[in-house]
Amino acid sequence: MNVTLQTDIKSTIRTFLQKRIGQDVSFNDGDDIFQLGLVNSLFALELVVFLENTFDIAVENSDLNLNNFSTVDNLEGFIRNKKGI
Amino acid sequence: MNLELTTAQQALKEEFITFVRTELEPYANDYDKQGAIPRSLIEKLGAAGYLGATIPTAYGGRGMDQVSYGLLNEEIGRACSSTRSLITVHSSLTAETILRWGSQEQKEQWLPLLASGQQLAAFGLSEPGAGSDTNGITTAYEEKDGQYVLTGVKKWITFSQIANLFLIAAQGDKGITTFLVPRDTPGLRVVPLEGILGTRASLLGEIHLEQCAVPAANILGRMGWGLQQIVNTALDNGRYSVACGSLGIARACLESSIQYSKQRHQSGRPIKEHQLIKQKITNMVTEVKAATLLCRNAGWLRDKKDPDSFIQTTLAKYHASRMANAVAAEAVQLHGALGCHDSFSIQRYFRDAKVMEIIEGSTEIQQILIADHSIASLSSIL
Ligand SMILES: Cc1cc2nc3c(=O)[nH]c(=O)nc-3n(C[C@H](O)[C@H](O)[C@H](O)COP(=O)(O)OP(=O)(O)OC[C@H]3O[C@@H](n4cnc5c(N)ncnc54)[C@H](O)[C@@H]3O)c2cc1C
């Protein structure tokens, strides 16, 4: 899937996270999903592949910073930064 | 889900079968008894491109897709799990991980050497006191004058006796980080390990690191991301190799069981005519087929770079390794005393199968991951 509409970014990220974390678990766009212990050890790689595939970006070593990935808001900011939008 | 092999994948499978039939199968029991695969075999694997199967041709590899790589692991694993172990640690755990996360310089320096088999790589994560709990490693790194000094012991390291390059995970002030450590680094010493139950020809050893200094350029991946980024990538790659290798063991057991049931006569008829033997063969076939589908599905998702490929690879490894143990145990039973004797391969398959449930994350660790994913979202598993 290639997300082109800017407004889609957040909801696409949310849908992916909800699937990984559990449909019945609620969290806000500002919640740190790592700190809350909502994800397991495979998650970081799953997230990287999801971001690369969905948004057509390459995640580099220098992008690996928990601040980029910790919340829905931060993930959206990271994607916007990477795509320059 | 598309589980059919393409014409190119089918052709590669035929190529692997021919290689295995001529170069590996006739000698695998001897390697097991001698406790080593010979250098001549490693050279043939390198020449065939099997030590860099998935590495792009630009780096001297064969640029195979993941489904084809799975077939390679299955066919090699069908004949000799020790040789499959070499492919697992050298290609899956190390070379593929360098390809994914290495700097351009690291890729250019190492991938051509590894893809050709001129140099061999091994993966150093486990320690005397740390196995499943990877966070518990105590091998330490310390920054000194722009270099990183490593101290500690790595245990159970497959092919460490002859590897030229080690991927080492170490603990330090920036969090767990992984380093590329050449064998000739001063302070590095390998102590051979004997007496292993299975994959006996895989030249296990302990790596002793005493103040081994490597430059910052040898850090693989991001500092502090050694587990989430590098170890997890490596283990995911390794699990796919081990899943397909387990499938190979089970297929060998099944093929031998069918063959033997036609030859062996008891009570005046071949044992294949006994209903309880038919039951065993039916159960084996069903298990092997189910594992084949899981492995192919994992390969297909890996080629698509689907985020679900990680959990599906885990599922394939979990099922295939347990299945290989069940099928090997049935095969020993079906072969009777012959299944217990080292003049025949079945006892080797039985021993090798057990190892598959321990390496690349034990069965229990896979159970935790699979259950977590299933509870969160069953649809990403089924
Ligand atoms: C033939 C062989 C080759 C190997 N090659 C390599 C190599 O090349 N590189 C490398 O780094 N390592 C290698 N290893 C080591 C291997 O990765 C470890 O053996 C494996 O991670 C398990 O660790 P352990 O043996 O310390 O068992 P432990 O982690 O001590 O586990 C003991 C038992 O407890 C269970 N257990 C542990 N934690 C949990 C938990 N949280 N919940 C439930 N059960 C749990 C385990 O499943 C196991 O049954 C090799 C091992 C073998 C046998």
Side-chain angles (χ1 to χ4, degrees):
Chain A
M1 178 182 29
N2 232 317
V3 175
T4 44
L5 279 177
Q6 293 183 22
T7 46
D8 280 349
I9 294 176
K10 210 173 222 174
S11 68
T12 307
I13 291 170
R14 252 201 159 278
T15 306
F16 174 77
L17 293 185
Q18 200 74 63
K19 190 170 134 185
R20 280 294 173 273
I21 289 169
Q23 306 295 348
D24 46 356
V25 179
S26 53
F27 58 96
N28 297 318
D29 289 353
D31 287 345
D32 185 327
I33 52 173
F34 289 89
Q35 226 164 47
L36 290 173
L38 296 178
V39 293
N40 71 11
S41 63
L42 286 184
F43 178 73
L45 290 180
E46 293 173 334
L47 179 63
V48 165
V49 171
F50 159 75
L51 295 175
E52 291 190 328
N53 258 5
T54 309
F55 300 105
D56 197 22
I57 57 163
V59 176
E60 324 270 353
N61 283 327
S62 54
D63 296 323
L64 297 177
N65 178 337
L66 266 191
N67 280 342
N68 284 336
F69 303 148
S70 54
T71 70
V72 175
D73 288 335
N74 292 359
L75 279 161
E76 187 202 14
F78 171 66
I79 295 299
R80 285 187 187 284
N81 241 339
K82 279 295 255 190
K83 296 192 83 71
I85 51 177
Chain B
M1 200 187 295
N2 178 5
L3 303 174
E4 207 176 318
L5 297 182
T6 63
T7 315
Q9 288 164 346
Q10 191 61 45
L12 280 170
K13 184 176 165 150
E14 299 301 326
E15 178 195 311
F16 305 151
I17 290 171
T18 305
F19 180 92
V20 165
R21 193 185 302 129
T22 52
E23 306 295 350
L24 201 49
E25 211 170 347
Y27 316 109
N29 282 340
D30 290 342
Y31 299 159
D32 184 67
K33 282 184 201 160
Q34 290 155 10
I37 63 169
R39 188 57 77 168
S40 56
L41 172 65
I42 296 171
E43 282 164 11
K44 284 174 187 162
L45 290 165
Y50 298 162
L51 295 176
T54 53
I55 302 303
T57 50
Y59 293 115
R62 281 197 62 180
M64 286 180 205
D65 59 37
Q66 288 285 316
V67 169
S68 302
Y69 185 56
L71 297 173
L72 175 67
N73 280 277
E74 181 183 338
E75 294 306 327
I76 299 272
R78 192 185 139 274
C80 177
S81 287
S82 293
T83 307
R84 192 273 316 140
S85 280
L86 173 63
I87 290 178
T88 304
V89 299
H90 173 87
S91 302
S92 295
L93 290 169
T94 313
E96 284 191 343
T97 307
I98 294 174
L99 178 68
R100 176 66 178 94
W101 291 113
S103 65
Q104 196 51 39
E105 294 73 33
Q106 287 169 341
K107 290 186 208 176
E108 279 166 17
Q109 181 181 358
W110 292 109
L111 292 180
L113 292 170
L114 299 180
S116 63
Q118 270 172 279
Q119 299 233 325
L120 296 180
F123 179 73
L125 174 64
S126 306
E127 300 181 357
S132 306
D133 178 16
T134 47
N135 261 311
I137 58 168
T138 57
T139 293
Y141 68 83
E142 206 186 345
E143 192 182 350
K144 251 188 206 158
D145 308 325
Q147 294 214 310
Y148 288 85
V149 180
L150 305 176
T151 303
V153 177
K154 296 292 177 182
K155 193 165 183 180
W156 313 113
I157 309 306
T158 299
F159 281 96
S160 58
Q161 290 184 36
I162 57 170
N164 310 92
L165 175 69
F166 300 103
L167 176 49
I168 299 287
Q171 198 65 263
D173 60 349
K174 303 242 166 54
I176 292 178
T177 300
T178 50
F179 298 85
L180 294 169
V181 184
R183 188 188 191 92
D184 57 10
T185 305
L188 190 152
R189 186 167 53 94
V190 176
V191 179
L193 250 170
E194 283 170 5
I196 200 76
L197 171 76
T199 59
R200 280 192 178 162
S202 61
L203 296 166
L204 292 188
E206 285 182 1
I207 308 172
H208 292 248
L209 302 142
E210 285 156 25
Q211 300 279 312
C212 286
V214 292
N218 287 28
I219 293 171
L220 183 65
R222 187 148 167 98
M223 282 213 82
W225 280 71
L227 287 187
Q228 301 98 311
Q229 181 194 14
I230 302 298
V231 169
N232 280 343
T233 298
L235 291 179
D236 170 60
N237 295 338
R239 272 174 203 150
Y240 181 55
S241 167
V242 169
C244 298
S246 300
L247 176 57
I249 295 177
R251 247 188 61 219
C253 289
L254 172 60
E255 287 164 7
S256 182
S257 296
I258 289 176
Q259 183 67 21
Y260 190 66
S261 72
K262 292 180 191 169
Q263 289 165 3
R264 179 70 177 169
H265 284 67
Q266 284 298 287
S267 312
R269 53 190 178 145
I271 61 170
K272 74 178 167 68
E273 290 176 14
H274 294 295
Q275 284 188 337
L276 291 175
I277 297 290
K278 287 182 201 279
Q279 183 192 46
K280 283 194 198 311
I281 288 173
T282 299
N283 288 343
M284 287 189 203
V285 168
T286 311
E287 292 293 351
V288 168
K289 184 72 186 181
T292 303
L293 296 177
L294 286 175
C295 287
R296 290 262 210 290
N297 180 49
W300 180 68
L301 290 170
R302 296 173 77 78
D303 278 325
K304 277 205 323 168
K305 303 209 185 311
D306 189 311
D308 286 344
S309 67
F310 297 98
I311 194 63
Q312 291 297 338
T313 298
T314 298
L315 199 61
K317 192 273 180 182
Y318 173 66
H319 179 72
S321 59
R322 289 191 350 139
M323 176 282 296
N325 277 277
V327 168
E330 279 292 53
V332 171
Q333 194 69 20
L334 189 145
H335 285 77
L338 191 59
C340 301
H341 194 257
D342 72 1
S343 57
F344 220 61
S345 304
I346 296 292
Q347 49 77 35
R348 176 167 57 86
Y349 301 142
F350 181 68
R351 288 185 285 103
D352 288 346
K354 194 64 222 171
V355 167
M356 309 300 253
E357 273 203 79
I358 293 167
I359 55 176
E360 265 67 22
S362 66
T363 282
E364 291 72 18
I365 297 302
Q366 314 302 327
Q367 284 169 337
I368 294 168
L369 293 172
I370 294 165
D372 279 354
H373 269 70
S374 308
I375 291 164
S377 166
L378 199 52
S379 65
S380 70
I381 301 265
L382 298 181

